[in-house]
Amino acid sequence: MGMRNKSQKSKIMKWLDSGNNITPIEALEMFGCFRLAAIIHSIKHQEKEFMKDKELVTSMVTNKFGVKYGSYKLINKKIQKTNLIIENRRILGLIR
């Protein structure tokens, strides 16, 4: 992986880690990245420490021309689990 790809990858990782999602068009506009899916694959499989307790989720989006593409979002499993516990306690009436 070349130096340009490394900096694109680190910028995309930082963007995702900040709670943002990203699409191929956004990756091209913001980071000059033509191959977002390849970078997402690399993050998933090579960045073990970064991905600890996290999951990269892909949602398929269809634009007005009927073209489908992926939108990627990083989910923090610890935060997701904590939020689920809080919501369950709220439903059970244990907390307000």
Side-chain angles (χ1 to χ4, degrees), residues 2-4 15 17 19 25-26 30 36 40 43 45 48 52 56 59-60 62 68-69 71 88-90 92:
M3 188 52 99
R4 174 171 287 148
W15 178 256
D17 208 29
I25 293 291
E26 293 166 336
M30 292 187 296
L36 179 61
I40 293 295
I43 293 169
H45 299 283
K48 302 293 184 201
K52 187 172 169 40
L56 262 166
S59 304
M60 293 310 291
T62 306
K68 291 183 181 178
Y69 57 92
S71 178
N88 286 340
R89 288 182 179 162
R90 188 173 288 123
L92 293 172

Side-chain angles (χ1 to χ4, degrees), residues 62-93:
T62 306
N63 71 8
K64 64 183 178 182
F65 304 107
V67 176
K68 291 183 181 178
Y69 57 92
S71 178
Y72 304 93
K73 183 161 184 68
L74 191 65
I75 305 295
N76 186 319
K77 291 181 189 176
K78 282 186 176 178
I79 292 172
Q80 191 178 33
K81 186 176 180 182
T82 301
N83 290 343
L84 191 61
I85 290 168
I86 291 169
E87 184 58 26
N88 286 340
R89 288 182 179 162
R90 188 173 288 123
I91 290 167
L92 293 172

Side-chain angles (χ1 to χ4, degrees), residues 9-42:
K9 182 171 156 181
S10 62
K11 288 175 187 173
I12 290 168
M13 287 167 62
K14 187 174 182 179
W15 178 256
L16 290 167
D17 208 29
S18 298
N20 303 297
N21 65 324
I22 193 163
T23 65
I25 293 291
E26 293 166 336
L28 179 59
E29 289 175 349
M30 292 187 296
F31 308 113
C33 171
F34 277 93
R35 300 190 63 230
L36 179 61
I39 289 181
I40 293 295
H41 183 270
S42 173

